[in-house]
Amino acid sequence: MKVMSWNRALLFSSILFYVCIQQQFWAGSSISKNKAMVEQLQRYGIIQSKKVAEAMESVDRALFAPDGSLAYEDSPMPIGFNATISAPHMHATCLQLLENNLQPGMHALDVGSGTGYLTACFAHLVGPQGRAIGVDHIPELVEMSIKNVEKSAAGPLLKDGSLALHVGDGREGWPEFAPYDAIHVGAAAPEIPKPLIDQLKPGGRLVIPVGNTFQELKVVDKNEDGSVKVCTETSVRYVPLTSREAQLRGY
Ligand code: SAH
């Protein structure tokens, strides 16, 4: 039997360690306040800007996390319908990547909006002159996300129409308010859906997990001439961007 060399074992365990810390920065009930969660994300260097910290501080994650869950734990949590609310470090990572495209007055699209948490953060950043649109294909989740947002600091933005949550197939984007400065996709696509690239403004940025078992978070920037540049940010693990039927039968 071939035994793994020390070098390979060391490499393997460092990769494993890297994957572990990528997936969870803290666990358990050590954090019981939204502000403490934001400070923790700042300590780990995931939140790097005041603007992202301020948005995540204003939108209390506990209003979006499942009842009775450890709302501030750094872990994805089931929200029903084979979907999850993403871990705080993933929400923070995506907000950081999109920060420059979430300025007051800008248009943002959140595909696979689930609980509505990130759509609410987007709305907070683009403000009443901007547009934050969430799209999810599970009507019950959209209904729940509207209730969550109503309870949150982004509630008034839902009322005035600058934040809206819709039922739809997010692979088609949401043409009504295109082109978008920022598009976020909260589920992993086998490949980048063309309508999302088409609905991106020149200068706009799309953040999307791509892959099946092995997934990477891709950052797609549209240049002024309409061409796109795609970069890989990190390895990730998301539920699939798929049809409603496939999701409801467990993919
Ligand atoms: N970002 C959200 C939810 C992430 S889970 C949050 O953190 O709360 C991924 C979401 O994508 C699920 O809610 C799922 O219903 C949705 N989804 C998957 N495929 C979709 C599609 N084709 N169109 C719209 N939503 C989709």
Side-chain angles (χ1 to χ4, degrees), residues 95-237:
L95 283 166
Q96 277 303 153
L97 287 168
L98 289 167
E99 182 187 10
N100 293 339
N101 296 67
L102 292 168
Q103 290 177 39
M106 287 186 165
H107 284 201
L109 174 66
D110 184 21
V111 169
S113 46
T115 59
Y117 174 79
L118 216 46
T119 323
C121 291
F122 289 174
H124 183 85
L125 287 163
V126 301
Q129 311 306 328
R131 288 276 176 188
I133 307 295
V135 182
D136 204 287
H137 61 173
I138 307 290
E140 292 89 338
L141 287 180
V142 173
E143 212 173 290
M144 177 192 75
S145 67
I146 291 171
K147 287 193 185 124
N148 295 342
V149 170
E150 277 169 354
K151 286 183 267 170
S152 79
L157 298 168
L158 184 70
K159 243 190 173 155
D160 76 18
S162 54
L163 189 173
L165 293 148
H166 297 284
V167 179
D169 187 339
R171 294 172 292 189
E172 300 302 323
W174 196 263
E176 192 182 351
F177 296 107
Y180 295 96
D181 300 277
I183 301 181
H184 166 262
V185 182
E191 55 200 39
I192 303 171
K194 187 169 177 298
L196 298 186
I197 294 180
D198 292 344
Q199 289 173 32
L200 205 54
K201 201 181 267 184
R205 171 171 277 194
L206 160 67
V207 172
I208 178 169
V210 178
N212 298 302
T213 322
F214 176 74
Q215 302 169 4
E216 290 177 327
L217 191 66
K218 302 279 185 190
V219 176
V220 182
D221 286 309
K222 189 177 260 191
N223 302 314
E224 293 303 325
D225 66 3
S227 62
V228 292
K229 189 180 93 195
V230 184
C231 296
T232 300
E233 183 63 24
T234 180
S235 295
V236 287
R237 188 108 191 90

Side-chain angles (χ1 to χ4, degrees), residues 80-83 138 239-240 242-251:
F81 308 94
N82 296 316
I138 307 290
V239 301
T242 184
S243 69
R244 187 188 300 158
E245 298 70 36
Q247 183 171 326
L248 292 179
R249 65 168 183 263
Y251 309 113

